[in-house]
Amino acid sequence: MHKTIIISNRLPVQLQISNGSIEAIPSVGGLATGMKSVHTSGESLWIGWSGLTDEEIPEELSKEIDVVLKQHGAAKVNLSQEEVNGFYFGFSNRTIWPLFHYFLQYAEFELENWETYKKVNQKFADAILESAGEDDTIWIHDYQLMLVPKMVRDKRPKIAIGFFLHIPFPSYEIFRIMPWREEVLEGLLGSNLIGFHTYDYERHFLSSVRRLLGKEVSFNNIFDDNRVIKVDSFPMGIDYDKFHEAAKIHNQNTTEEHSDLQRRLDSHKESSPDAKLILSIDRLDYSKGIAKRLHAFKYFLDKYPEYKEKVRLIILAVPSRSNVPQYQLLKREIDELVGRINGELSTVSWTPIWYFYRSLPFENLIDLYTSSDIAWLTPIRDGMNLVAKEYIATRIDKSGVLILSEMAGSANEMNESLLINPNNFEQIADTLYKAINMPFEEQKSRNTQLQKRLARYNVEKWANDFMSSLQQQKNLEVGNISKRLTPTILKKILQDYKKAEKRIFFLDYDGTLTGFKNDPQKASPDEELYELLDALKDIPGNEIYLISGRDKGTFTKWFLPKKYNMIVEHGVWHSTNGEEFKMLEKVKRDWMDNIRPVLESFVDRTPGSFVEEKNYSLAWHYRNTDPDFGAQRANELNTVLTSLIANDDISVLNGNKVMEVKSSNVNKGRAAMRILSQAHYDFIFAIGDDWTDEFMFNELPEEATTIKVGLQNTQAKFFIESVGGVREILRKFIP
Ligand code: GDG
C-alpha cells in the first residue's frame, strides 16, 4: 500500500519519561490536528525529532520509545544536544527565522551552524529514505527542513515530494543577504510542489529562484533541468469545529463547572460590567510585536484617558526558544514594560494589564477567547497567525472584534476584521477606540462573514487541497510520459531510420546542439559537436541540415568549411555542400529602418539587452537583463511592435529571451518544406528548443519525427527535458 510520510521538526506527540516508563501524549497544535486526515494510522508515518536529545534518552529506553512512537504512527530522528544547538537554536532560529521575518539585525551567519543544519537535514532525509517506497508521498514541513527535498530527490528521482513553509518567504532583497541562499533554494526545488500561506510569499520565492538560480519561471511553474515544480499558496486554516464546539460547551457550563481562570474573568465582569477585556495571545517572539503592543496600549490610554479603568489588556505570552539570547532579552523587556505601565497607571481597583508568561491548557484558552470583547494581534511579521482565526471561531453569538496586523498572513483572508499597521500608534489607538464602541450589529455582520469562511476553508481542507495538488502535479508528469521520448520510442525511431534509404535531419543549433551562453558569439561549436555532425553526415543516405535563426556570417565562419548544409536567418538563406549561401526566400528589408530605432530605445532603457542585426531580421536579446524587468520590457515591446507592424508583412517571434522581428513569409517550417519538396525522403527528423522551431514541427509531414527540447507546450510529437540529452540521441544514429 502507498503511504504518506509527513516530516516536521517536531513530532505530533510529546514524550514523557517518568520512573522508567514512557508515555507519548498527542500534541494539540494546529499542524497535528490539521494533518489528522492525512495521518491516518497504517497508511502514514510521521517522522520528526522527539524533543529529547540523545543525552536525555537513557540508552535502554531508546528501543522502547520507538515502539511507543510506532503506536502513534511516528518515528523519531535522534539528535544530540550539540546538533539541536546548531541546527534548531542556531541556524533555524538565529539565521532563518529572523531573516525571513525581516529582523535583519538579529540574523547571524555562522558557518558552523550552517554545517550542522546541513548535517541534521541529511539525518531527516536519511530517515525518509529508510522508510519510503518509490510510490509513497512525502510532505515536508517548514523552515527547519528546507534542504530535505533535494536530499531525498537525489536518491529517489521519481518520488512525490511536497514542501510547505509555515513562515513568510521574504522579498529577494532580503533573502539574497544569506550566504547560503542558492543551496537553500536548490534544496527546496527538490520538491514537486512548494506551498506558502499567501500569494506574496509565493511571488517572493519565485522572484528569488529566477534571480539567484536563473531558472525559467512561467506563471507559478519553475522549469528545472528535467522537472516542472509547482509553487502555490494554501492559506492554512484551523480545526474550526473543535474551537466552535468547545466554546459552545463552555458557554453552557454552570458556574460550578468554571475553571479558576474563568471565575477570575467572571468576577472582573461582575465588578466592572462596562469594562472591556482586550486579549492577545502569542508565543513570546519578537516577530509578534508584543513590546510595541504594550507601548501602543499606553499611547491609547494617554490619547483616550476616559478609558482608564474601562479596559483591561490580557497578555498571554507562551515561553518559546528561551535558549536564544534574543528571546531572553525580549522576555526582560516585556516584564519591565508591563511592570512600568501597571506601576504608572494602576489604581486600587484596576490593573491595566494582566500578564501571563506560560502555556495554558486548551480549556483556559477557550475561557480567554470566549470572555474577551476584543482580540488584539499586532505581529510585525507573521506567516499566518492562527490565534486570530481561533478567536473568531469561538464567538458563538457572533459578538467580538478582531484587530489584526496587516503584516500577518491571515490578514489576507480576514478583511472584515479591523486591520492595522503595527507601527502606527495613532491608527492603533483610534482602532481600539472604534473596536470598543462598535455596535453589536456591526460585530455580528463582520463575524458572520469571517466564520463562514473559516468553517469552509478549515485545516482539513487545507491539508487535502495540498495533497491533491501534489498528486495532480505528479500525475501531470506521468501524463507527459506518453510524449516523452522514452527508450522504447527511441528504439522504434531507430528501426525506422535503419530501414529508410533517404533520410533528412533538421537540427536547430542554440539550445539544441549547444547550450545557451550569455553572449551568443561565445556559443561556438566544440570539437565534439563537429565530430558528431561529421559522423552523421558521412553515413550514406543521410542529409543533415543545421537550421537556425542565426546570421549567415557566423554560420559561414563556423560551418561552411565543414560543408554542412545550413538554413539560416529562419529560412532566408541556405547553403549546401560548402557552397556560398543562396537566398531561399525573396524578402524585403525596407521595414528595418522603422523598427531599428524602436528596438534601440528599448536597449537604452533595459540594461543588459542588445540588438542583433541580421540581414533580414532584427533581434532584441534580453537574456542578460534582470529577469523580472526583462520580461516586463519584452511585454511592453510586444505591444509597441504589434501596433507598429499591424499593416506590414512582418511579424514578431517571441523566442527564448529574444524577440525577433522579421518578414512574415520567412520561418523554419516554410524553409524545411522547400527543401523537402526537392526530393523524396523516407525518414524525416527535426529537433529544436524554442518557439521558432514550432513552425517546423507544425509544417513537417505527419510521418516526421519531431522532438522538442524542454518542457514547454509544443507541437512536436515527443519531448526531451534538456539540451543535455540531444547529442546522446544523435549518437544513436551512428552505428
Ligand atoms: C507558525 C507561524 C503560522 C498559543 N498559546 C497557547 C496555545 N497556543 C496555540 C494557539 C495556536 C498556536 O498555538 C499558535 O499559532 P500561530 O499561528 O499563532 O503562531 P506560531 O506558533 O508562530 O506558528 C505562524 C503557524 O506556524 C502555522 O502555519 O500561522 O505564522 O509563525 O493554535 O491556539 N495553545 C495552548 N495553550 C497556550 O497557552 N493549548
Side-chain angles (χ1 to χ4, degrees), residues 58-272:
E59 215 179 307
E60 65 278 11
L61 287 186
S62 185
K63 283 267 163 333
E64 213 176 307
I65 289 178
D66 290 342
V67 174
V68 173
L69 289 178
K70 202 168 173 199
Q71 290 159 1
H72 292 266
K76 68 177 174 7
V77 173
N78 296 319
L79 298 180
S80 68
Q81 188 60 54
E82 201 185 338
E83 284 170 335
V84 173
N85 289 345
F87 151 74
Y88 180 69
F89 292 113
F91 197 74
S92 298
N93 289 326
R94 292 166 82 159
T95 305
I96 301 175
W97 180 273
L99 192 71
F100 281 34
H101 285 86
Y102 294 70
F103 281 83
L104 301 189
Q105 67 278 32
Y106 298 159
E108 296 170 14
F109 303 111
E110 296 288 339
L111 184 61
E112 211 177 310
N113 287 342
W114 163 245
E115 294 297 341
T116 313
Y117 182 81
K118 278 200 287 191
K119 183 173 147 208
V120 172
N121 269 243
Q122 190 61 59
K123 272 194 159 183
F124 277 84
D126 290 346
I128 298 179
L129 290 165
E130 212 171 280
S131 328
E134 207 55 64
D135 293 319
D136 290 346
T137 301
I138 319 286
W139 187 355
I140 302 162
H141 288 269
D142 228 0
Y143 65 104
Q144 302 92 348
L145 303 177
M146 292 194 285
L147 306 179
V148 176
K150 181 172 187 308
M151 290 170 168
V152 176
R153 174 73 58 211
D154 285 347
K155 294 275 158 41
R156 297 280 162 85
K158 295 273 177 275
I159 209 163
I161 306 177
F163 180 92
F164 189 85
L165 187 73
H166 289 264
I167 65 172
F169 194 92
S171 100
Y172 159 75
E173 288 295 343
I174 300 292
F175 181 70
R176 69 164 162 173
I177 293 172
M178 182 159 64
W180 310 281
R181 57 211 188 169
E182 284 89 359
E183 283 104 314
V184 168
L185 291 180
E186 296 279 7
L188 289 169
L189 291 188
S191 322
N192 299 90
L193 173 69
I194 304 173
F196 297 95
H197 280 307
T198 74
Y199 172 67
D200 281 332
Y201 309 154
E202 173 190 335
R203 165 170 88 72
H204 290 154
F205 174 71
L206 288 172
S207 159
S208 285
V209 167
R210 282 164 77 133
R211 286 155 184 254
L212 293 167
L213 300 184
K215 302 264 181 229
E216 192 183 332
V217 175
S218 168
F219 296 101
N220 55 346
N221 288 318
I222 299 167
F223 296 89
D224 203 1
D225 280 349
N226 54 2
R227 297 181 311 114
V228 185
I229 298 123
K230 185 174 173 191
V231 181
D232 213 342
S233 55
F234 302 86
M236 186 174 174
I238 55 163
D239 186 348
Y240 184 85
D241 289 344
K242 177 178 151 189
F243 282 90
H244 198 70
E245 291 311 311
K248 255 192 204 159
I249 292 167
H250 171 276
N251 290 356
Q252 286 157 8
N253 279 350
T254 58
T255 326
E256 288 74 48
E257 289 168 319
H258 281 174
S259 66
D260 286 348
L261 174 65
Q262 186 61 52
R263 292 208 184 109
R264 259 190 91 184
L265 292 162
D266 291 343
S267 82
H268 162 85
K269 292 239 161 188
E270 273 159 30
S271 63
S272 38

Side-chain angles (χ1 to χ4, degrees), residues 28 30 97 166-167 197 236 243 281 283 288 316 318 358-362 365 369 382-387 390:
V28 284
W97 180 273
H166 289 264
I167 65 172
H197 280 307
M236 186 174 174
F243 282 90
I281 298 183
R283 272 185 313 99
K288 305 286 183 182
L316 172 61
V318 182
R358 73 189 86 137
S359 173
L360 294 178
F362 179 71
L365 209 64
Y369 283 149
D382 208 341
M384 174 51 72
N385 194 301
L386 300 177
V387 172
E390 292 168 0

Side-chain angles (χ1 to χ4, degrees), residues 632-680:
Q632 194 185 319
R633 278 279 191 258
N635 262 340
E636 208 182 305
L637 178 59
N638 200 13
T639 318
V640 173
L641 290 173
T642 320
S643 64
L644 270 179
I645 63 178
N647 299 321
D648 261 316
D649 216 7
I650 53 175
S651 53
V652 182
L653 294 184
N654 279 309
N656 194 336
K657 306 277 187 228
V658 55
M659 291 185 71
E660 186 151 5
V661 193
K662 57 173 208 48
S663 298
S664 299
N665 62 349
V666 178
N667 65 53
K668 287 183 179 178
R670 218 175 130 110
M673 287 310 285
R674 283 186 74 133
I675 305 292
L676 285 185
S677 69
Q678 293 161 11
H680 174 75

